[in-house]
Amino acid sequence: MTQSLLHQILDYANRADPYPLYEELRRTPVHHEGGDGPYVISTYYEIRSLLHDPRISSDARNLASQAGDPLPEAPQGEGALPPGFLKLDPPEHDRLRRMTNRPFGPPHSPRRVDGMRPELHDIVTGLIDGIGDPGRIDLVEQFSYPFPVTVICRLLGVPREDEARFHVWADTLAASLDPDPDADSAERGKGAHDARMQLGMYLAGLIEERRKNPGDDMLSQLATAEGEDGPMTTMELLSTAALLLIAGHETTVNLITNGMLTLLRHPDVLERLRTEPRLAAPLVEELLRFEPPVQLVPQRTTLADIEVRGVTIPKGAALWLVLASGNRDPKRFTDPDRFDPDRPDIQHLGLGSGIHSCFGAPLARLETQLALSELARRLENPRLLQDPPPYRQNAVLRGPRELQIACDGIRP
Amino acid sequence: MRGDGALERLGREGRIVVVGASLAGLRAAEALRDEGFAGSLTVIGDEPHEPYDRPPLSKQVLLGRASAGRTALPRLRAVDATWRLGVAASGLDMAAGLVRLADGDEVPYDRLLIATGVRARPWPQEAEAELDGVFVLRTSDDSAALARRLDAGPERVLVIGAGFTGSEIASACRERGLPVTVAERGAAPLVGALGGVVGAVAADMQREGGVDLRCGVMVTALEGDASGRVRAARLSDGSTVETDVVVVSLGATRNTEWLAGSGLGAGPRGIACDAGCRAFDIRGIVTDDIYAAGDVARCPHPLFGYQFLALEHWGNAVAQARIAAHNMLSESAERVPHMEVPSFWSAQFGVNIKSVGVPSMATEILITQGSLESRRFVGVYGYQGRVIGAVSFDHGRWLPFYQELIETTAPFPPPFATVDRRPGGQRPVDADFPDPSVPTHGPTVTLSGYSPADRRTTFTPAH
């Protein structure tokens, strides 16, 4: 039996290289397999336009049928966290994002991210120093995972030693983002619900503590802020903290791992990065185009009947925006399947666009630039031991589960 | 390549002169080299400075966060040009193909690009304009001088005119804690560009920001003391404002006087050109060797009834510069039109304002997202049943969508539901622009002669 195109994209067998399937998908810019199934948008200009379209909602409550929702929310039971601002529309979204931004970025905290540079550098150096046997390195385990986790813990003020506890909840919640057609959605919904609740209780304890003894971390600042928008309610604070912890956890790992994998497949670029540190910034942008860690945005719906490329998408339909496919659209990028860090005019979709564009983008960019530069500089003659590496199940947050590499030594 | 190879020769060894060394002039020079132009390139500018950026002059510079001397525009590439800075162009001889300079020099051209922009309209009473403490704000020197005076901590600043520049200046002064009075002839700030509905929000912003805002009044006289320092301003409502700094923000005048008598279609409203930036002569015939770009150019826009639009917008200057550069090196079939949808932005009183399209053409406005009360909203402008413009206050990320509505002549009012549509935004209202039937310019061209052979057009400046 031939699988539907959507099934093939979600099928784990195609995880290592979904790009030929995206190419096929782009032949039908608005792809719909009938019934409650999602309308899948795969071409650059259409995705970009929909990301700025106020008729598109991020709030799952606007879906006509939950059957079309790949990520059904568990029923809002006692103690359940409300959705984070990622899954809210304005004005609530704007208010929470604005308040969260106060301690994080301009105009109120313009130097927050850049001020972390020395600290980030120390963490990277520490991790590389601790690699041990250069003949067999799992880059995910030994570097790309611990780095952003340590960073987000420091930024939020979450004790690093609690990592083992929230790692399990974060994993469960990240997995719940995966629209796996074969999984039992009720079962998964319950698991996600429980994980969210436990994470919420854990964070509630932490926030209580921060209220009493505020530090200069973001949780303290969010818990004690009194801006023009007033304070966040405790529930808003919890769901925002959970969002930051998980998003700061599960995406940069993939970006760094995808980055190293791509560089090892393009040794000439790796060598350039070693000698040309200024290449890091454009290289990370090209990486966000070429192998974005968030492959698709599956949680959008329409507030009205809208027409896209001659197809009317009915009100309340589920909408998937395949960012990774738009990034390889030949109508927008010349020779899109080529990894080219010198590419001019690289307005990729890797971090989204519009009001939901990646909140953590400045931090993710800086982390990845530092990580890849230092790996390139210090690993001597690095090479892949397995290509392609084994991937994680997730089709939305796509990245290798492990990346086995070897090198001749670690430079000081 | 068609023809006798003249275009190839131009590209190889031609002479291109750019008059105007600001944003449009610099970007055009760069674009000419990008297009492969290998001949001689001369850039003429009346200011002694390297090309610099203007948006910071009314914002960061006045706040003391940037220095006026340090807003030089980044060079996108080497242009290998002869720079004639600090000397103004004083005349144009179209028949001989040369530009005259104020120092007596003459610069011959095969292709000419005029990007002389605009200058601040000065205070009309010359003696009063000369008073110490009376400023305009257009150039980097203007901005440096005003910033120095604000540093000295004046007792009060009076801003005459509450357009975008005037409002930004008032905002910067308030941010520095200086007492500010704004005098505006219209009913509200920004009313000419955005209409009275949005203007009322801008008025609230100013008043809440601590500005002493006076609307519906004109400044009738500036008074100085014995030492020639400005001391007070008299207003048409009979009141007096005591002030030691006056900033005159009454809009801009296009720098076209040097073209008087040249026969080019240039006047107070700019240089008329076609959609490909080729200038018209005053007989309405398009020239093939003279182009205009930036604030001084007036182009017909197909999306807005082929109206000749002159825009003082940063993005417009960049786009026209590229188009003019491309077209002057291209065969007719390869030329490209300037069809960008106008857009601009401003920052004042902590609010980011963006606009697309031509709101001032509109009659109605509908708030489609957010609310006027919260000062976070998108307003859509309608004209004869179609969307013609949009403005956002702290909602800029939605504007690309509204630009698409303008580009596709979507119906007004937009019929669909949006995120963040409030009850107040269900119905369009009168956008409340000043009456367009009141003329602001007199005739500028007269005809003479009877037989077709005698028929002449003569430029007659309005006063």
Side-chain angles (χ1 to χ4, degrees), chain A residues 53-254:
Chain A
D53 193 322
R55 298 169 300 178
I56 306 300
S57 168
S58 298
D59 190 333
R61 288 167 293 194
N62 288 314
L63 279 166
S65 156
Q66 294 295 319
D69 183 5
L71 326 165
E73 287 278 328
Q76 299 277 314
E78 187 81 5
L81 285 185
F85 62 73
L86 183 66
K87 299 186 83 177
L88 288 176
D89 289 337
E92 292 80 14
H93 162 275
D94 292 2
R95 186 177 136 265
L96 290 174
R97 181 166 167 141
R98 195 159 61 226
M99 292 170 78
T100 310
N101 197 54
R102 275 178 170 263
F104 184 66
H108 300 285
S109 312
R111 274 170 268 281
R112 180 84 189 224
V113 171
D114 204 54
M116 292 182 78
R117 194 181 277 271
E119 198 176 343
L120 299 186
H121 196 269
D122 287 350
I123 300 169
V124 167
T125 303
L127 288 170
I128 298 179
D129 287 345
I131 277 178
D133 176 13
R136 186 152 200 100
I137 306 167
D138 176 5
L139 195 80
V140 176
E141 172 84 26
Q142 293 174 261
F143 186 84
S144 352
Y145 180 77
F147 176 40
V149 170
T150 308
V151 174
I152 195 70
C153 284
R154 294 241 184 118
L155 181 69
L156 289 179
V158 170
R160 180 69 172 86
E161 48 286 9
D162 292 346
E163 187 265 330
R165 295 171 66 191
F166 60 74
H167 187 173
V168 182
W169 303 322
D171 260 4
T172 310
L173 288 169
S176 78
L177 272 174
D178 181 27
D180 178 356
D182 302 323
D184 178 343
S185 74
E187 178 85 358
R188 241 164 34 124
K190 168 129 183 20
H193 174 75
D194 291 349
R196 239 173 116 65
M197 229 173 97
Q198 287 170 11
L199 179 60
M201 281 161 62
Y202 166 74
L203 288 169
L206 213 53
I207 286 163
E208 202 40 52
E209 210 179 287
R210 288 291 179 282
R211 280 211 171 102
K212 287 183 203 137
N213 299 306
D216 64 354
D217 55 84
M218 269 183 73
L219 277 190
S220 299
Q221 286 164 313
L222 289 175
T224 56
E226 280 287 0
E228 52 175 323
D229 291 295
M232 280 191 194
T233 66
T234 300
M235 290 309 260
E236 287 170 343
L237 189 53
L238 291 180
S239 60
T240 302
L243 173 62
L244 295 181
L245 185 62
I246 292 164
H249 206 94
E250 297 291 345
T251 47
T252 318
V253 182
N254 291 340

Side-chain angles (χ1 to χ4, degrees), chain A residues 49 52-57 89-91 94 97-98 228-229 303-304 354-355 357, chain B residues 369 376 394-402 404-405 416-422:
Chain A
S49 161
H52 293 273
D53 193 322
R55 298 169 300 178
I56 306 300
S57 168
D89 289 337
D94 292 2
R97 181 166 167 141
R98 195 159 61 226
E228 52 175 323
D229 291 295
L303 293 178
I355 63 164
S357 69
Chain B
Q369 293 182 256
R376 294 191 174 96
D394 278 346
H395 256 49
R397 288 177 194 255
W398 295 111
L399 275 205
F401 170 77
Y402 293 95
E404 268 184 49
L405 294 187
F416 45 76
T418 61
V419 292
D420 203 11
R421 182 101 174 240
R422 315 278 176 91

Side-chain angles (χ1 to χ4, degrees), chain A residues 241-308:
Chain A
L243 173 62
L244 295 181
L245 185 62
I246 292 164
H249 206 94
E250 297 291 345
T251 47
T252 318
V253 182
N254 291 340
L255 183 57
I256 294 172
T257 315
N258 289 342
M260 204 52 195
L261 175 61
T262 304
L263 286 173
L264 290 168
R265 286 170 175 168
H266 296 84
D268 51 324
V269 182
L270 181 65
E271 179 54 27
R272 265 184 72 193
L273 180 61
R274 202 167 75 74
T275 52
E276 260 179 72
R278 294 177 64 134
L279 188 65
L283 183 142
V284 169
E285 292 317 299
E286 173 68 347
L287 195 56
L288 282 161
R289 184 193 72 84
F290 191 73
E291 288 275 23
V294 180
Q295 296 267 300
L296 65 117
V297 173
Q299 70 267 22
R300 300 284 165 105
T301 182
T302 39
L303 293 178
D305 290 0
I306 69 167
E307 198 194 297
V308 179

